[in-house]
Amino acid sequence: MKTESKLQKLLDSGHFAVTAEIGPPKHASAHGIRHHAHMLKNYVDATNITDCQTAIVRLSSIAAAVHIRDCGLEPIVQMTCRDRNRIAIQSDLLGAYSLGIRNLLCLSGDHQKFGNEPSAKNVYDIDSIQLIYLMRRMRDEKLFFSGEPIKEHEPRFFIGAVANPFADPFEFRVARLEKKVEAGAEFIQTQCIFDMERFERFMEMVRERGIHERVHILAGVTPLKSWRAAKYLQTSVSGMIVPDDIVERLKKAEDPKREGIEICIEQIKHIRNIPGVHGVHIMAIAWEEVVPEIVERSGLYPRPKVE
Amino acid sequence: MIIAQQKPIKDIAEMIADCKKVLLVGCAGCVTVCLAGGEKETEILAAALRIMRRLQDNPLETVTYVATRQCDPEYIATMDNLVKDVDAIISLACGVGVQYIAERYHDKWVVPALDTKFIGGSKVHGVWEEKCGLCGDCVLHRTGGICPIIRCSKSILNGPCGGSQYGKCEISKDVDCAWQLIYDRMKALGRLDKLMEIQPPKDWSKSRDGGPRKAIREDVMIG
């Protein structure tokens, strides 16, 4: 089922896609995200806009996506199940589509315990797999979540989901990815990969089940600024695996930032050769300015043009 | 059972700061079992409040009583003669007991001594854990006897989410990931295929989201 998503056209025509991530600010100005959008627009095919990541109150992902689209960069709106019930999710997504948003990424969302409103009520009316299923049904069968028909102008999103090969139980991760594909996900972005061996094992299981032929998998990477950042991800973020040799390499480096970029480029070059991977998702957290260099030096520039 | 815990004593004292005589009512039901509001706890709280007030040169008179169950109005009626001359009633029951007392004695100041926490059990003496989310539509037959509604921090029906690692939930290393437990049990039972079924959105109208609930059994109604 075709949508107006440029990302979908690119992936469906067999190109190796490049997506990035822009985190909206903790204030009401779009100046910074517009700056990042202009910087990234010729280097990536689309960019995720996070939805109050780590449960910190930030400018709305849909509003940020409109700013970014206005700058000529295709946004992927992230929608978590943490903050909105099914009424709010549908309403916001109808609105997002009306504003020209064409890509949607469905996630559970980080628990509010991590953010700046730990006493907030968590919603989780539906979970990420149900969200994928319901949005796909809304598009293909023209039905609201309740089953009520949408008479006209149903939102036609290119629907994505996430997969975390580094969470547990490992054996079930590929099965759950398959469940997301069954539910209707058309592209998958993975958690940042540092443990390449584990990711390769994951992809092997993906290929055994033929999942890579049913969905576009974009491998997640994150350039690290320092060994402390690596150590933090290693010890304090649940569902992350950072091997010690990456921490050590950054520790020994004369210029850790440079080293972080080098590691990221090596990872991308490696990932490009893993069968079944259809793209790379670069999450340069609060370090968006390094993305053009990473893309260029990974041999992914210029980006292909699609109609 | 219902698990409750006593509020800080200074908070309880504050609620009855302007009272001279109070009635403390324990409950012989769940809160006795979870050591929060039985006879012993009622007497200890009464003594503690009296000592506190004596030290403030503002003595407090206390009367104590333990109802068989505060969640049955007929057991509350048994304390009618104790209520008359007190300025306030402190209930050591769950929220149900506090409300039935307030309903019966509408001219009395009724305050809770406990925080009603959750529905759970006690695997080890002194430790109580939450087990049921009171969702009104049990799913335990689909999840290997482990409740994802209350034991998964996100109430996910198609878990586990990406925050599950080393068997623990992303919110704390002290919290087991319910979906890891579900996975392990389904695997042991040879029923992992069940976890591949997409569980549909839950009908939360059967939970508190549908408004206050009532259960009616006409066959056992009297009169």
Side-chain angles (χ1 to χ4, degrees):
Chain A
M1 190 73 72
K2 294 286 178 199
T3 69
E4 289 171 12
S5 158
K6 198 182 92 181
L7 181 65
Q8 181 179 29
K9 286 190 186 83
L10 215 112
L11 284 164
D12 284 353
S13 54
H15 290 292
F16 190 86
V18 179
T19 56
E21 192 159 293
I22 293 178
K26 288 174 76 177
H27 54 62
S29 164
H31 184 77
I33 50 176
R34 281 178 166 268
H35 169 71
H36 287 137
H38 283 296
M39 202 174 65
L40 296 179
K41 72 176 179 192
N42 294 322
Y43 293 88
V44 302
D45 305 314
T47 185
N48 288 32
I49 314 298
T50 48
D51 178 16
C52 297
Q53 72 271 30
T54 61
I56 288 171
V57 177
R58 289 171 184 277
L59 191 146
S60 131
S61 58
I62 293 169
V66 174
H67 288 293
I68 279 152
R69 190 216 47 191
D70 286 351
C71 297
L73 174 57
E74 184 164 284
I76 301 165
V77 158
Q78 297 196 180
M79 174 62 72
T80 72
C81 299
R82 179 192 57 223
D83 308 321
R84 301 169 184 84
N85 69 7
R86 59 192 87 175
I87 301 170
I89 289 178
Q90 291 177 87
S91 167
D92 281 359
L93 290 177
L94 293 179
Y97 194 82
S98 79
L99 288 163
I101 310 305
R102 296 295 177 261
N103 304 296
L104 170 69
L105 189 79
C106 307
L107 318 89
S108 304
D110 298 315
H111 194 272
Q112 77 278 5
K113 192 192 171 184
F114 300 105
N116 55 2
E117 293 285 4
S119 57
K121 183 161 181 152
N122 75 9
V123 180
Y124 295 112
D125 176 14
I126 55 174
D127 66 28
S128 59
I129 291 182
Q130 292 162 351
L131 176 59
I132 295 161
Y133 169 76
L134 293 167
M135 286 311 295
R136 184 69 192 262
R137 194 180 70 159
M138 184 180 269
R139 185 187 82 192
D140 297 349
E141 295 173 37
K142 301 186 173 76
L143 295 172
F144 284 107
F145 291 5
S146 64
E148 182 192 330
I150 300 181
K151 288 189 184 127
E152 52 183 350
H153 306 304
E154 74 285 0
R156 307 190 55 75
F157 290 107
F158 181 41
I159 297 165
V162 295
N164 186 358
F166 310 103
D168 290 318
F170 178 62
E171 321 82 77
F172 193 62
R173 286 294 145 188
V174 176
R176 190 159 186 264
L177 164 61
E178 189 170 9
K179 213 170 156 177
K180 289 188 173 185
V181 177
E182 285 292 327
E186 297 163 299
F187 72 97
I188 298 289
Q189 291 172 323
T190 77
Q191 175 67 291
C192 1
I193 301 157
F194 297 106
D195 184 346
M196 201 55 80
E197 211 180 292
R198 175 141 157 167
F199 181 64
E200 294 211 48
R201 264 191 292 144
F202 177 84
M203 284 307 298
E204 224 175 271
M205 289 158 78
V206 163
R207 291 192 301 271
E208 274 165 22
R209 294 170 91 123
I211 302 169
H212 63 302
E213 282 158 6
R214 301 171 58 198
V215 73
H216 299 294
I217 297 172
L218 280 67
V221 291
T222 288
L224 294 167
K225 279 181 181 172
S226 67
W227 72 269
R228 279 191 184 81
K231 199 79 199 169
Y232 174 77
L233 293 181
Q234 187 182 50
T235 55
S236 306
V237 180
S238 197
M240 278 280 200
I241 297 178
V242 182
D244 286 331
D245 57 338
I246 289 190
V247 182
E248 285 309 308
R249 207 173 138 183
L250 288 162
K251 214 177 226 177
K252 284 186 194 134
E254 256 176 54
D255 184 346
K257 286 186 174 178
R258 277 278 113 216
E259 195 69 9
I261 295 169
E262 294 305 323
I263 294 172
C264 187
I265 293 167
E266 285 169 28
Q267 287 168 334
I268 294 174
K269 286 182 176 168
H270 186 97
I271 284 164
R272 283 187 75 179
N273 293 318
I274 300 176
V277 176
H278 303 173
V280 66
H281 177 53
I282 307 167
M283 291 168 271
I285 304 153
W287 203 18
E288 287 89 347
E289 59 272 23
V290 297
V291 173
E293 180 189 343
I294 291 172
V295 172
E296 207 164 346
R297 291 189 44 218
S298 301
L300 293 166
Y301 183 81
R303 300 306 308 144
K305 295 271 175 273
V306 287
E307 283 302 303
Chain B
M1 70 182 140
I2 290 175
I3 311 298
Q5 276 176 343
Q6 201 179 302
K7 285 178 174 287
I9 188 157
K10 67 169 186 28
D11 293 358
I12 302 169
E14 221 166 86
M15 295 177 206
I16 53 145
D18 57 353
C19 303
K20 296 290 177 201
K21 184 176 181 182
V22 296
L23 169 64
L24 291 98
V25 190
C27 176
C30 311
V31 293
T32 292
V33 185
C34 72
L35 311 175
E39 188 179 0
K40 185 176 157 195
E41 292 79 23
T42 307
E43 293 301 337
I44 292 172
L45 178 61
L49 288 169
R50 284 196 309 271
I51 293 166
M52 208 171 164
R53 290 281 290 265
R54 194 177 309 146
L55 291 171
Q56 294 164 357
D57 277 333
N58 180 19
L60 175 75
E61 199 183 329
T62 63
V63 182
T64 57
Y65 179 74
V66 178
T68 305
R69 280 198 301 277
Q70 289 191 32
C71 54
D72 260 328
E74 62 178 292
Y75 292 113
I76 289 175
T78 59
M79 59 188 218
D80 283 358
N81 57 343
L82 298 173
V83 169
K84 289 188 184 94
D85 64 338
V86 298
D87 304 316
I89 305 168
I90 301 174
S91 167
L92 286 90
C94 67
V96 181
V98 183
Q99 294 184 63
Y100 275 138
I101 292 177
E103 264 176 39
R104 182 162 184 93
Y105 308 112
H106 32 82
D107 58 342
K108 289 290 171 194
W109 182 239
V110 182
V111 302
L114 308 186
D115 288 318
T116 308
K117 297 287 204 181
F118 52 81
I119 297 283
S122 172
K123 206 149 70 176
V124 183
H125 195 70
V127 179
W128 292 271
E129 49 186 13
E130 186 163 26
K131 290 285 190 189
C132 173
L134 301 171
C135 73
D137 187 14
C138 194
V139 298
L140 286 169
H141 56 296
R142 285 187 263 155
T143 56
I146 293 146
C147 176
I149 305 299
I150 205 67
R151 295 177 67 188
C152 166
S153 305
K154 302 176 184 174
S155 297
I156 283 175
L157 287 169
N158 295 282
C161 79
S164 171
Q165 198 169 31
Y166 312 124
K168 299 296 174 187
C169 171
E170 70 178 24
I171 69 159
S172 164
K173 290 187 168 60
D174 298 327
V175 176
D176 290 331
C177 168
W179 275 99
Q180 174 78 54
L181 299 174
I182 293 168
Y183 174 82
D184 291 343
R185 186 153 158 79
M186 292 301 242
K187 191 177 175 185
L189 292 170
R191 293 185 172 221
L192 277 181
D193 55 314
K194 281 260 163 215
L195 295 187
M196 289 309 288
E197 292 167 14
I198 295 171
Q199 297 301 326
K202 197 165 168 62
D203 177 359
W204 294 109
S205 73
K206 293 174 178 166
S207 182
R208 66 145 301 277
D209 305 274
R213 293 172 279 179
K214 219 177 227 180
I216 298 172
R217 280 272 308 273
E218 280 182 3
D219 59 325
V220 295
M221 285 167 84
I222 299 164

